[in-house]
Structures are given as structure tokens and as C-alpha cells.
């Protein structure tokens, strides 16, 4: 191979390439595995020893030079293509870009934020509490001592051997933390994640969201509780719904209730209310004196009400979600609907 002649010839061919396909072809002809340069390198072994070094250097110089010519030509072709696209017919620079993917807030987040706004407008403060909680706050201070049968319904994830640390099974421990931190009178809500060691099915998951509410003041009565819950319902369903209270037992309230609301979706029974026209909305009650004491508040002077709203359940009601496991399944086909 005559290096100078080969390079000259390659240069002509490269310069006359009108597109990338032709350029690739020329590149392959010279630099490919079976190309001109490869053949020259392969032939070096057959030359007399004193010529080998020069022949090798020559071939490598040609190889490098051709590669540079090819790269330069590719850039020229790219620039020309862009130029003709810009100036040519059919290119509309005023077209909007391809639609960008945007995310959306998770349905639980949407419900939480709406309720936070609603309660803030009613003078409540929004509190946060730890998800890994001391037994004291999750149970003991809520009038649920170690041997209390109510612990049976809380299938707890214990975090250490002696059971002193648990994944909180409800948001109620924030009641006690609130009492320790705030001077009465006060109103607080505490939305957050809770955990129970559940066998999961369409209506139970090991991870779910609640929103605790607590009001402490002078002479707080069941009337105040009902009034607040009716306002809450109006905020959620955007109209007045009748409520009813059924007795419900929770060690940290006395009296304790299950509050039901008229089914917002039907007049005479549907699948949501299981044909009863009532939907079970939330447990609530007046704060037990023992709980006020545990929070450092004198039950002779102060009283209060508390409620626990199931946010996962509420989001399901609101959006007609039929399986709680969808909420944290991470399936985009589900999430994209919100
Ligand atoms: N913490 C209770 C639960 O998760 C609910 C509740 C909250 C009941 C506040 C009464 C008052 O089961």
C-alpha cells in the first residue's frame, strides 16, 4: 500500500459522500475489518524485516488520517441536514414541543391536603408524629395497659425485643404528644402513616393513612363533636349529610362512638353503603380523663373530643377505589387516573 496515494484516493471519495450511508460505505472500505488498511497491516509480516517498521507506521498514519476525514465529513453532513430542515418546507418552528409527562399528586396526598386546608380554616394546627413510636405513646398513655384486651385488635409490628418500640398502629399517639407540647385550649389534626401486621385483602393493608383530630377546651361536649364532624362532612362531600352515632369502644375515649353519615352516593341503598344508606365514617368520642392526665392536663378543668379519620378509606370512597392495595401498588395505570 502506498500511503500517500491511498490517503489521496480516500480523501476524494470521502469528500464526495452526500449522505451518512455513503460515508459508512467508504469508511468500511478503508477501515473495516477486511478493509484496505487492515489488509496492509496483515501483509506486514511478509515484508523483509527492515521494511516492516516503516510500513506499519505508514499504515497506522493512513488509518488515523482517514478516520479524521470521515468524522469531519460526518459533521458537515449533520450540519447540512439541520440547515435544510430549518429552511426547508414542512418545518414549523412555532409548533409546541412534544407533550411533556407530568406527574400528579397521589390520591391520599390530595385528600390529606384538602382536609388540612379545611381544618386550618377552622383554627386547627397540623401536627406530625413519629411513625416508629414508643409503646408508651401508642398504648400506655392512651389507657391501653400491657394486659388490655384492646391490644388484640392492634396486630403490631414490634421493633425491638422487649416491645418498647413499635410501628404506630394509629395516629392517636399524637394526641398525647400534642397535650405534652401545647397549652389548652387547642385544636389539632395529625395526618400520617400507620402500620398493622394484617393479612392484606381488598379492605386491609399493613400500611394505611389516618388523620387524628383532637380538641381540648372548657366543657367540651358531644354536641361540639357532632358539630365539628358535620362541618368536616360538608367539607368532604360539599353538602350537608345527616349523621348518627353508635356506641363504639376505644379505651382512650369515654363515651366512644362510631359516627355514620348518610350515604352520599344514593337515596335508597347502593353497593358503597351495602344497601344500608349509611356509611361508617369514623370512630370518635370524648377524651378519657386518664388520657388527659397522661398528657399532663387536669381532667377536672379541661375536657376534649378526639376522632380518627381513615384517610385511605376516605380516598377510596371519594374516588370509587375498590381495593385498598391499589393505593400503594405503584401501578402507573392506577396512579395516572388522578
Ligand atoms: N385510634 C383509633 C383506631 O385507629 C381510632 C380513634 C381515634 C377512635 C380517636 C376514637 C378517637 O382504631
Amino acid at each position: 500500500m502506498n500511503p500517500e496515494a491511498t490517503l489521496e484516493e480516500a480523501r476524494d471519495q470521502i469528500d464526495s459522500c452526500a449522505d451518512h450511508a455513503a460515508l459508512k460505505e467508504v469508511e468500511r472500505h478503508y477501515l473495516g475489518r477486511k478493509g484496505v488498511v487492515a489488509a496492509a497491516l496483515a501483509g506486514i509480516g511478509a515484508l523483509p524485516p527492515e521494511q516492516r517498521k516503516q510500513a506499519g507506521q505508514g499504515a497506522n498514519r493512513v488509518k488515523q488520517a482517514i478516520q479524521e476525514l470521515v468524522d469531519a465529513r460526518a459533521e458537515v453532513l449533520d450540519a447540512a441536514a439541520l440547515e435544510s430542515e430549518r429552511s426547508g418546507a414542512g418545518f414549523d418552528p412555532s409548533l409546541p414541543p412534544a407533550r411533556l409527562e407530568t406527574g400528579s399528586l397521589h390520591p391520599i396526598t390530595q385528600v390529606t391536603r384538602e382536609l388540612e386546608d379545611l381544618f386550618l380554616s377552622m383554627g386547627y394546627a397540623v401536627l406530625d408524629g413519629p411513625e416508629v413510636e414508643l409503646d408508651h405513646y401508642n398504648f400506655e398513655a392512651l389507657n391501653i395497659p400491657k394486659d388490655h384486651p384492646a391490644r388484640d385488635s392492634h396486630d403490631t409490628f414490634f421493633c425491638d425485643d422487649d416491645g418498647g418500640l413499635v410501628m404506630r398502629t394509629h395516629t392517636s399517639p399524637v394526641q398525647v404528644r400534642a397535650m405534652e407540647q401545647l397549652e389548652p385550649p387547642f385544636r389539632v389534626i395529625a395526618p400520617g402513616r400507620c402500620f398493622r401486621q394484617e393479612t392484606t385483602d381488598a379492605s386491609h393493608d399493613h400500611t394505611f393513612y389516618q388523620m387524628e383530630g383532637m380538641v381540648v377546651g372548657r366543657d367540651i361536649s358531644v354536641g361540639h363533636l357532632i358539630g365539628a364532624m358535620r362541618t368536616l362532612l360538608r367539607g368532604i362531600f360539599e353538602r350537608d349529610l345527616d349523621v348518627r352515632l353508635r356506641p363504639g369502644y376505644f379505651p382512650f375515649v369515654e363515651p366512644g362512638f362510631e359516627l355514620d353519615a348518610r350515604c352520599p352516593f344514593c337515596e335508597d341503598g347502593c353497593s358503597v353503603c351495602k344497601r344500608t344508606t349509611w356509611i361508617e365514617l369514623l370512630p370518635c368520642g370524648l377524651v378519657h380523663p386518664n388520657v388527659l392526665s397522661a398528657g399532663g392536663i387536669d381532667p377536672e378543668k379541661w375536657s376534649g373530643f378526639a376522632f380518627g379519620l381513615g384517610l385511605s378509606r376516605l380516598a377510596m370512597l371519594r374516588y370509587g377505589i375498590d381495593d385498598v392495595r391499589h393505593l400503594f401498588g405503584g401501578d402507573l395505570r392506577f396512579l395516572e387516573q388522578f
Side-chain angles (χ1 to χ4, degrees):
M1 179 182 76
N2 174 340
E4 275 64 44
T6 306
L7 189 53
E8 251 349 278
E9 183 191 286
R11 188 195 307 280
D12 283 348
Q13 293 185 16
I14 290 169
D15 284 350
S16 61
C17 283
D19 55 38
H20 284 287
L23 187 59
K24 266 259 154 315
E25 209 32 68
V26 175
E27 183 179 7
R28 189 161 31 235
H29 174 70
Y30 287 97
L31 305 181
R33 260 192 310 128
K34 297 182 179 153
V36 174
V37 174
L41 287 168
I44 287 175
L47 294 175
E50 64 278 10
Q51 291 180 19
R52 286 182 194 165
K53 185 171 175 200
Q54 214 197 352
Q57 286 174 343
N60 278 318
R61 213 166 356 97
V62 170
K63 183 178 172 187
Q64 197 184 341
I66 293 180
Q67 189 63 61
E68 281 167 14
L69 289 171
V70 166
D71 292 347
R73 184 66 192 166
E75 272 180 39
V76 170
L77 290 175
D78 280 343
L82 192 61
E83 192 48 45
S84 85
E85 192 182 315
R86 283 202 181 126
S87 58
F91 178 74
D92 180 355
S94 68
L95 277 179
R99 201 172 71 87
L100 294 174
E101 296 280 339
T102 49
S104 59
L105 293 176
H106 192 279
I108 296 272
T109 308
Q110 293 185 26
V111 169
T112 306
R113 292 200 182 169
E114 267 179 47
L115 290 177
E116 284 179 1
D117 283 348
L118 179 70
F119 278 106
L120 283 168
S121 78
M122 297 196 283
Y124 286 68
V126 182
L127 292 190
D128 212 0
E131 292 176 353
V132 178
E133 188 52 285
L134 291 167
D135 179 284
H136 171 77
Y137 288 103
N138 197 79
F139 294 121
E140 207 80 24
L142 290 169
N143 208 25
I144 314 177
K146 290 253 170 340
D147 54 358
H148 197 289
R151 288 204 181 197
D152 284 354
S153 67
H154 285 221
D155 299 326
T156 313
F157 289 111
F158 294 94
C159 300
D160 58 359
D161 288 342
D162 61 11
L165 267 185
V166 301
M167 304 295 284
R168 67 175 176 189
T169 58
H170 49 177
T171 44
S172 300
V174 188
Q175 287 188 28
V176 185
R177 292 181 174 275
M179 289 187 287
E180 287 178 349
Q181 280 163 33
L182 304 172
E183 286 297 320
F186 64 78
R187 304 166 199 194
V188 295
I189 52 164
R193 216 156 23 156
C194 308
F195 311 86
R196 287 186 205 178
Q197 196 175 347
E198 297 269 13
T199 310
T200 60
D201 61 27
S203 43
H204 298 85
D205 206 348
H206 47 72
T207 302
F208 53 97
Y209 279 73
Q210 290 189 340
M211 181 181 280
E212 196 76 8
M214 184 184 218
V215 169
V216 173
R218 303 266 184 211
D219 301 322
I220 297 290
S221 71
V222 175
H224 294 117
L225 170 62
I226 295 175
M229 294 305 100
R230 294 179 80 98
T231 311
L232 168 64
L233 281 170
R234 206 180 306 132
I236 298 174
F237 295 108
E238 287 162 358
R239 67 199 142 105
D240 286 311
L241 290 174
D242 280 343
V243 299
R244 72 176 183 190
L245 293 178
R246 287 177 291 118
Y249 177 67
F250 301 93
F252 34 96
V253 285
E254 179 59 36
F257 308 104
E258 293 283 357
L259 183 133
D260 298 341
R262 264 297 174 207
C263 180
F265 306 109
C266 71
E267 303 254 292
D268 44 15
C270 66
S271 62
V272 176
C273 61
K274 302 195 189 86
R275 319 238 157 260
T276 63
T277 75
W278 293 99
I279 50 168
E280 202 177 306
L281 199 73
L282 53 82
C284 54
L286 297 187
V287 182
H288 195 290
N290 289 355
V291 175
L292 289 168
S293 297
I297 289 179
D298 184 353
E300 298 294 330
K301 289 198 192 131
W302 302 97
S303 51
F305 68 75
F307 55 90
L309 191 61
L311 290 179
S312 301
R313 212 180 105 72
L314 192 65
M316 289 171 73
L317 263 182
R318 152 77 69 89
Y319 299 110
I321 299 165
D322 60 3
D323 191 321
V324 70
R325 291 167 295 189
H326 284 317
L327 287 172
F328 301 108
D331 188 333
L332 286 180
R333 291 169 305 176
F334 170 78
L335 293 170
E336 278 169 352
Q337 298 174 52
F338 302 97

